[in-house]
Amino acid sequence: MNQPHVPARPVFPINSFDAQRIEDAFALMGPKWTTWSVMALAQEGRPMRIRDIAAKLPFVSEQVLGLRLAAMQTGGLVTRTEPATERHTGSAPSTSP
């Protein structure tokens, strides 16, 4: 019977990990729907509106998704970009001095 290969010692020393950073990462990814939300964003690879993400996750309400994205933004996991809007002034600029 073949035994799986077990290394004699860890490849990296355990004490090289910053336990607080690992705990912080788990705290960011731990809340419900966070991982699913990140996966939906990563699959698209572009900025998305909440309703577009919610369409990919029909089992999560837009309200819950918005709260989760806001928490992820606060934690630095995602960034929010404002869409560029065109302003319509209703008239052409004046050419008189």
Side-chain angles (χ1 to χ4, degrees):
M1 186 179 235
N2 290 338
Q3 295 285 51
H5 174 67
V6 179
R9 59 187 170 113
V11 178
F12 46 85
I14 302 280
N15 61 2
S16 69
F17 281 109
D18 181 355
Q20 186 61 51
R21 291 182 71 191
I22 293 171
E23 186 175 331
D24 292 345
F26 283 136
L28 281 174
M29 295 302 293
K32 195 171 188 178
W33 309 124
T34 300
T35 306
W36 285 87
S37 303
V38 170
M39 285 179 18
L41 286 165
Q43 287 173 347
E44 287 295 316
R46 63 177 176 84
M48 296 176 69
R49 294 184 176 274
I50 291 175
R51 71 178 72 117
D52 296 333
I53 300 168
K56 292 187 161 292
L57 306 171
F59 42 84
V60 183
S61 72
E62 280 188 35
Q63 181 181 13
V64 169
L65 189 57
L67 292 171
R68 181 61 34 233
L69 288 169
M72 290 190 306
Q73 179 185 0
T74 301
L77 195 56
V78 296
T79 58
R80 179 181 177 148
T81 57
E82 296 297 326
T85 58
E86 293 182 13
R87 292 186 181 172
H88 179 66
T89 59
S91 64
S94 173
T95 57
S96 61

